[in-house]
Amino acid sequence: QVQLVESGGGLVQPGGSLRLSCAASGSILRIFTMGWYRQAPGKQRELVASITTGGRTNYADSVKGRFAISRDNNAKNTVYLQMNSLKFEDTAVYYCNARLQYSSDSEAGYWGQGTQVTVSS
């Protein structure tokens, strides 16, 4: 069994900051990519940011320069999303995702339960 546990969501004013964390645990041999997605009411889930094992990052255009994704140097199974200069349109449920290998010949993608981020004055 593999679990992704997110934390750090909440209510913040426009221009504020939040930091999301996601820790993967369970039968994990190797994690290839970890990332954050978000889904606002009435919209499709979209990629926010991702990071590979080698540290290569990818960001949605809407968050470039404001958000930063990173992985824990000691615990590679943990990923963070630092969100700065938050805007109303960043309001969504944020989901952690991990593409990982759980046996010698099997890999799959896993999702966390989601954490709400609300930007409101």
Side-chain angles (χ1 to χ4, degrees):
Q1 289 283 3
V2 174
Q3 282 189 319
L4 301 182
V5 179
E6 301 133 334
S7 60
L11 174 66
V12 64
Q13 292 185 338
S17 298
L18 282 176
R19 189 191 194 207
L20 305 182
S21 300
C22 172
S25 62
S27 301
I28 300 171
L29 297 184
R30 180 184 175 189
I31 296 181
F32 300 109
T33 303
M34 297 188 79
W36 291 94
Y37 289 70
R38 66 187 180 187
Q39 187 167 18
K43 294 188 177 181
Q44 290 188 333
R45 190 173 297 189
E46 62 175 0
L47 173 69
V48 177
S50 64
I51 185 167
T52 67
T53 302
R56 187 170 67 241
T57 58
N58 182 43
Y59 294 94
D61 288 341
S62 60
V63 306
K64 283 180 181 177
R66 299 189 298 121
F67 291 10
I69 190 169
S70 62
R71 289 174 73 163
D72 192 295
N73 288 330
N74 295 319
K76 295 294 185 181
N77 292 354
T78 301
V79 66
Y80 305 99
L81 185 68
Q82 179 66 43
M83 304 185 294
N84 300 323
S85 302
L86 283 160
K87 304 176 180 180
F88 292 118
E89 52 265 41
D90 294 318
T91 296
V93 178
Y94 284 69
Y95 296 91
C96 177
N97 175 271
R99 185 77 186 177
L100 58 87
Q101 182 181 6
Y102 59 89
S103 71
S104 60
D105 59 354
S106 299
E107 61 180 77
Y110 289 86
W111 293 94
Q113 79 282 0
T115 185
Q116 178 71 45
V117 171
T118 302
V119 183
S120 175
S121 55

